[in-house]
Structure formats: C-alpha cells, structure tokens
Amino acid sequence: MTWLSLERQLLDAHPGRAVCADLDHAALRQQALHLAGALKARNIQRLALYLEDAGELAIALLGAWRAGVSVLLPADAQPQTRQRLAGQCDLWLDSLADLDLADALPLAGAALDLDHCQLTLCTSGSSGEAKLIDKSLRQLSNEITSLEQLWGKQLGQATLLGSVATQHIYGLLFRLLWPLCAGRVFARRAQPFPEDLQRESLASGKDFAWVASPALLKRMGDNLDWNALRAVRQVFSSGGALPAETAAELQALLGQWPTEIYGSSETGGIAWRQGGELWTPFAGIELGQDDSGALKLTSPYLPAGHSEQTADAVELQADGRFALRGRLDRIIKLEEKRISLPMLEQALLSHEWVSDVRLGVIQQGRAYLGALLAPSPAGLHALRNQGRKTLIETLRRHLGEHCEAIALPRRWRLLAQLPYNSQGKLAQAEVERLLAEPRPTAVAPLSAVEQNSEWQLELEVPLDLAHFTGHFPQTPVLPGVVQVDWAQQLARQLIEDLPPRFCGMEVLKFQQLVRPGDRLQLSLRFDAERGKLYFAYRNGEAACSSGRILLGARQ
C-alpha cells in the first residue's frame, strides 16, 4: 500500500484503502469532512476529544484540523479533569454521536496545513500534575515518516493491535497516525489484557504487530499460544522501562527482541533498541549533555530551533548510541547525603525475589525511604513460606551491600503489581501516597456477577494484608474471622436491605488455608425469610471455607 501523508488524508477519497476492519479511507474522509462542517457551523475553535475508539478519533482529528480547530487530547475523562480543562475548550466529545451532524454541510476536501494544524497533549511528570504540550501536524508527520522508513518493510501489511490508549503520544503515533498513513489496518479498541491481545491477534487472519506497554508485556505469562503468536511481525514497547529479563523471555518465546522506544510527550521518540543496554537515536536527532550529565537534544519532532533538556542521566558512546543512567530529578538528600533512587531500585531489581519496585520519601518526623515492591514468583514463594519479615530482612541485607544504612527503606508495601497508568507511568506523588497509607485490611472484588439471586465474586488476597501480621510469622494465613467479615462486608455492598445486626454463625467450615496472593471465588446468597447469609470461598476446585451468617433487625 502506498504512503498517504497526513496533510493529504482529506484531499482525495481512496475507496478500498482499509483503515479499520469496518472502515475504509473513503468513508473516513466523508465522515471527517461532515464533522468539519458541523464544527465550522457551530464556530468551535477548541475541541477536546476523549474517544476510546481509534477509528472515531482518526475521523475527529482530521475533521477538526480541516475546520481549523485546535484539538486537545485529555489523559482521562474524570470529572475533575473536565473541570480543570473547561477553560481550554469550547466543546468536549466522548463520542462522535455527541455531535449532531444532521443539518451540517460537509466541507470540501483539501490538504491540511502542517504548520497550522495544532494538537495539545496532556501528560504528567514525576509530580503527577497535569501538563499541556502543544504539537504541530508537521512534528507528528516527521515522526511517523521516520518510523515508516525504519520499520515499514518489516511490518508489511500487518494489522496494528495494542494495549495502549491513543489519547497519549505513543499510542496516537504507533496505533493510529502511522498505520493510517501507511495503509495498515488498526484496531479500534485497545486490548489491555494478554488474553485480549492474543484473541484479536489470532482473529486478524493475517500478519499482526503489537503496540504494547511494559506493564502488559511483563504480564504475558505461560498460558498463551506462543507458537501461534510467533507470527507477530514486531513488538513495540514504550512508556517505561522494560525489564531486561522480560525482553529476553519475549525473545525466546517469539524469536525476536521487542523494539523499545525511548522518548516523552515533550520530545516524541528519541531512540530505540532491540536487546542490550544501548539506545540508537532516531535519524535527525542530535544529542548532548548538560553539566550534570543529563541528556539534551534537538529533533525534527520538536518545534523548529527548539532544544529540549531532559532529567535523564546518560553515557554517550563514540558510535552515537547512549546508555541511560537514571533520572537526576530522583536524586534526594537524607541527612545531607545524596541518594539516587533509581540506583537503589536497580540494586533491588537484581535480587531474584523482586519483579518491580519504586522508592519514595516518607515525611513523618525525620524523612526516610519507603519501598513499593512487587515480588517475583520466587519472592511470592518466599513470602508465603518464610513470611513477610524474612522477605524484607533479606532484601534489606541485599540492598545494604549497595548503600549506606540511611538509604535502606524503613517502610515496605507489597503489591501483586505496581499501579502504572494507561501510559505505563507511575508518578512519584502516587508512589509516596501509597507508601503513606496503612497496610490494607479489606479486599476489593475483581469482578462481581449476580445470577439467580446469588452473587459470584472474584477476589485476590492482598500480599500485604495487615491481618497476616502474627498469623503466622513464617506462614501467613488469612484468619477465619477475616473471611467471615469480608463475606458480610461485601454482601452489604451488593445486596440491598441486608439486616444490620450480626446475630451469630452456623455450620462454619474451614477446609483449606488461604494465603497471600491467592485468587478466590466467593459466592454470596441471602435467604431473607430465614435471615441467613450463605457464603462459600473456593480456590479453583478446592473449597476453602463456608458457613451461614445470621442477621437480624436493629434492636
């Protein structure tokens, strides 16, 4: 398929040129020009788009640019985000159906002006505060042209599938604008889970490629049909660091190294790599360093004449490549000693019990460090069979070989996985908020479905549950009283008019221990006539506990 540049997308119709599985270029152009007419008729100057359908987003972007409208892509659609950005837009669209096109006349097809078509992205830095970043169509066009020159031949006519949102620069470029110009089909919806990605990949019936985040790639697991998935043309990863062991596992399973992209919303793509430590800059990017060793650059993906100073420490190589050495803005002082959080995190990641970790500062009296840590399978085994105290003491001793005592974390929070956002990022402010919270005592259902007056819930027992303390020190077990309490509390969230008073229990059975990280199925049924709440916990096929909770009216 021939390349159709961004500025020529609305010039002429190209029937039969696929965009999505159910959308060709001629239909996309027609809808975009119709939307452009509606925006023009309403005198919209600034448009906010939060469209999870990438096909709709392509239509809306092209239509807005044809109408001379500046576009804002919010990072999310939360009420506080809408309120904060209200002054930045005349209209917010969550769906193309929100805009009445019935009486609007379409604008004529025309070339788009690369320098006057504007896009504003929303992102967040380490503080978590929203930041607006302006891009011209020329900057976006320069970047996707470079991507096609690098990897277009390898991709061929692959369908582009991905786990990342098109609201952000990585997903927008790789999942939407690049395939749009190259004539490759792209999926309308993101596939946020490995099983979704596999299903859509194998259903594509042709070549496919992945636009993924490190968070997804780390969760791919052994339960996929890896022989069939080896047909993937290319695997892209961006939004955060991909652990070296994950990259190596993917290479072994798929027969190719993932293509990692290093960049930011401000800079666009800076460099790429396929295995190894060193990054190769994209064509036209010139690199340098400031006095502290942080990377600075000029790029065709930046405004003309602009240079960007990053906070990433780098080591530049004679052949033009470079190695990343952590964020300089994550170097802190404790009692006048400089401590590099990335260095400590890398030291912890070198231990076989650690899958992922982020450190933060806790300001309670004298400042000290805390660790937000996701154990590896070996680490989870150690937690379940040796206890939390042994796990943490072992990791502290390991880290003590790399730093002074003052840099050892004094607070630890254990999670199944770190809570990265849809961009694959975890703001430092969020790390420190989670570290400041007490250890959990409750559980939130992963899913809850009602059928025939009985609720079926899926639960995952938190790794760091406060109830495990002392029960038991070397073999943490969920106390039976907590299981009963969870059943009652979850039932009160789901079942209306549940009597408020606990009156006792009947036929209580505990058949199998419940451990940290266990995936449980909980069934709940209330017999209103008898005032009895029936509950049963299972771990797969194994029954864990069951009983009846007697409930009565308030006295």
Side-chain angles (χ1 to χ4, degrees):
M1 191 67 69
T2 57
W3 183 262
L4 184 63
S5 60
L6 277 178
E7 70 270 25
R8 297 178 62 83
Q9 287 290 327
L10 299 182
L11 193 57
D12 299 301
H14 295 267
R17 181 186 177 95
V19 175
C20 301
D22 59 350
L23 178 70
D24 74 354
H25 180 268
L28 174 137
R29 177 180 179 271
Q30 181 184 37
Q31 293 178 53
L33 293 174
H34 207 162
L35 183 139
L39 294 174
K40 200 81 170 176
R42 294 181 60 172
N43 196 32
I44 301 297
Q45 301 296 314
R46 301 171 301 171
L47 175 66
L49 297 173
Y50 190 81
L51 301 172
E52 295 183 344
D53 184 321
E56 286 200 355
L57 182 57
I59 291 166
L61 284 170
L62 294 172
W65 287 330
R66 173 65 184 90
V69 175
S70 296
V71 178
L72 171 68
L73 293 187
D76 59 65
Q78 298 299 318
Q80 59 268 32
T81 302
R82 294 174 185 268
Q83 183 178 9
R84 187 176 65 248
L85 297 176
Q88 304 285 339
C89 59
D90 306 318
L91 176 67
W92 179 301
L93 290 181
D94 293 294
S95 167
L96 293 188
D98 294 344
L99 187 62
D100 185 6
L101 304 178
D103 300 325
L105 295 175
L107 297 188
L112 300 176
D113 189 314
L114 290 174
D115 295 309
H116 286 88
C117 293
Q118 295 293 316
L119 176 70
T120 301
L121 298 164
C122 295
T123 188
S124 59
S126 59
S127 68
E129 290 296 319
K131 182 178 180 181
L132 301 181
I133 300 165
D134 295 325
K135 298 278 185 180
S136 71
L137 195 58
R138 184 175 297 280
Q139 292 169 248
L140 302 174
S141 178
N142 287 346
E143 186 155 4
I144 60 174
T145 300
S146 176
L147 296 176
E148 181 67 13
Q149 290 169 351
L150 263 176
W151 296 304
K153 186 175 181 180
Q154 181 172 338
L155 287 175
Q157 289 305 303
T159 297
L160 270 295
L161 307 167
S163 64
V164 297
T166 48
Q167 293 293 125
H168 309 297
I169 186 68
Y170 170 46
L172 177 68
L173 292 171
F174 282 71
R175 269 194 59 211
L176 195 162
L177 296 181
W178 180 15
L180 176 66
C181 291
R184 297 186 186 96
V185 172
F186 58 85
R188 286 182 176 270
R189 299 282 177 176
Q191 293 80 45
F193 301 106
E195 297 78 11
D196 299 329
L197 190 61
Q198 172 175 265
R199 184 185 64 250
E200 294 302 318
S201 297
L202 301 183
S204 66
K206 59 185 80 171
D207 294 334
F208 55 91
W210 295 343
V211 180
S213 67
L216 177 96
L217 295 176
K218 287 188 291 187
R219 301 198 309 269
M220 294 298 277
D222 300 323
N223 298 322
L224 302 179
D225 186 350
W226 287 106
N227 285 332
L229 294 176
R230 286 177 74 91
V232 66
R233 282 295 188 104
Q234 197 159 0
V235 179
F236 294 101
S237 174
S238 191
L242 183 67
E245 60 270 22
T246 302
E249 288 170 6
L250 290 169
Q251 196 280 331
L253 291 165
L254 296 174
Q256 62 171 285
W257 289 97
T259 303
E260 298 179 67
I261 308 297
Y262 163 61
S264 68
S265 298
E266 294 88 345
T267 63
I270 296 173
W272 59 275
R273 69 180 180 185
Q274 293 172 331
E277 179 187 37
L278 298 179
W279 296 87
T280 299
F282 287 107
I285 291 180
E286 296 184 6
L287 306 180
Q289 292 172 286
D290 67 6
D291 293 340
S292 66
L295 179 69
K296 61 181 180 181
L297 66 141
T298 59
S299 167
Y301 319 146
L302 291 170
H306 178 77
S307 64
E308 183 75 17
Q309 177 66 61
T310 77
D312 292 327
V314 294
E315 287 183 10
L316 301 179
Q317 309 296 309
D319 62 2
R321 295 185 296 169
F322 63 91
L324 288 170
R325 292 293 181 249
R327 295 279 297 184
L328 291 174
D329 58 356
R330 295 189 68 231
I331 294 177
I332 62 161
K333 275 193 173 183
L334 289 180
E335 298 187 7
E336 307 308 317
K337 294 186 180 293
R338 287 169 58 86
I339 296 170
S340 168
L341 300 185
M343 186 202 75
L344 296 180
E345 290 163 356
Q346 288 301 312
L348 280 169
L349 285 167
S350 69
H351 196 283
E352 64 171 348
W353 288 358
V354 180
S355 172
D356 202 358
V357 64
R358 285 288 298 273
L359 301 182
V361 179
I362 299 166
Q363 301 284 354
Q364 291 179 358
R366 192 169 65 178
Y368 58 92
L369 290 186
L372 202 63
L373 185 139
S376 66
L380 179 59
H381 184 271
L383 173 67
R384 289 163 62 100
N385 294 283
Q386 300 179 51
R388 186 179 193 272
K389 182 178 179 181
T390 297
L391 176 81
I392 290 172
E393 287 181 348
T394 300
L395 294 177
R396 278 176 59 90
R397 284 196 301 272
H398 169 75
L399 189 57
E401 299 172 3
H402 301 265
C403 67
E404 297 184 52
I406 194 173
L408 295 175
R410 289 168 48 193
R411 178 176 297 177
W412 299 72
R413 293 290 180 263
L414 308 179
L415 301 173
Q417 60 190 44
L418 300 194
Y420 294 100
N421 64 18
S422 59
Q423 294 172 272
K425 299 183 185 299
L426 179 55
Q428 190 67 25
E430 177 67 5
V431 172
E432 291 171 3
R433 184 190 69 80
L434 292 169
L435 286 170
E437 290 184 347
R439 290 169 62 190
T441 57
V443 64
L446 302 175
S447 64
V449 178
E450 184 185 21
Q451 187 173 11
N452 299 326
S453 300
E454 184 170 311
W455 283 92
Q456 301 293 334
L457 287 75
E458 189 84 11
L459 310 176
E460 186 172 285
V461 180
L463 302 185
D464 219 14
L465 200 68
H467 300 301
F468 288 135
T469 300
H471 196 273
F472 298 94
Q474 293 183 327
T475 309
V477 173
L478 185 65
V481 66
V482 175
Q483 297 178 46
V484 174
D485 182 63
W486 281 2
Q488 185 177 185
Q489 295 304 322
L490 291 168
R492 294 194 183 283
Q493 296 173 24
L494 297 169
I495 302 173
E496 293 183 2
D497 302 322
L498 211 63
R501 186 165 59 90
F502 175 82
C503 300
M505 293 178 289
E506 292 180 345
V507 200
L508 199 58
K509 297 179 182 178
F510 295 101
Q511 297 155 284
Q512 178 168 298
L513 300 179
V514 177
R515 312 294 306 285
D518 277 351
R519 183 69 69 95
L520 303 178
Q521 297 76 46
L522 169 63
S523 63
L524 296 169
R525 179 174 64 85
F526 180 58
D527 185 334
E529 184 177 338
R530 295 177 174 81
K532 296 180 180 181
L533 175 66
Y534 292 72
F535 75 91
Y537 288 94
R538 302 188 68 85
N539 186 342
E541 296 299 316
C544 297
S545 63
S546 61
R548 300 194 290 263
I549 301 173
L550 309 183
L551 301 172
R554 182 176 286 107
Q555 289 184 329

